[in-house]
Amino acid sequence: AEDNYMEFAKKVKALADEVEYQLETQHGMRPSRVEGYESKNWILMDYDTVIVHVFHPEARNYYNLDKLWADGEEIEIELMED
């Protein structure tokens, strides 16, 4: 079980790293704040107008943000090109 947890933790970190890399290289966007990076359980990346959550499966199930936001309005976001 510990090996599986650590494998997912590596994936959480890798996903967060890739989101940050892609947004910076393709759109010049840098997060104003990143939280949870060291825990690799739930990484929150604050881009001011958008917040990115990258979860370990256990944390995602525990916090159940999908249920919290189920009745939220879905909006389309278009990135502005420089």
Side-chain angles (χ1 to χ4, degrees):
E2 180 69 24
D3 289 340
N4 196 26
Y5 183 89
M6 293 307 295
E7 185 63 31
F8 274 115
K10 289 178 188 177
K11 291 177 182 178
V12 167
K13 180 184 177 297
L15 283 169
D17 288 346
E18 187 64 16
V19 167
E20 188 169 359
Y21 173 77
Q22 292 296 329
L23 287 175
E24 184 171 351
T25 59
Q26 292 186 21
H27 304 286
M29 297 174 66
R30 294 185 52 92
S32 59
R33 190 172 77 204
V34 176
E35 295 184 15
Y37 191 81
E38 293 303 317
S39 74
K40 300 173 195 72
N41 190 41
W42 174 5
I43 299 175
L44 181 144
M45 304 166 75
D46 185 349
Y47 285 90
D48 298 322
T49 56
V50 173
I51 295 177
V52 177
H53 298 273
V54 183
F55 284 100
H56 187 285
E58 290 176 12
R60 183 181 180 117
N61 289 334
Y62 179 79
Y63 290 105
N64 200 4
L65 291 185
D66 297 313
K67 181 179 178 185
L68 177 67
W69 289 101
D71 61 348
E73 179 183 349
E74 187 172 325
I75 60 171
E76 186 173 324
I77 298 173
E78 294 182 30
L79 293 173
M80 296 173 36
E81 297 295 325
D82 292 332

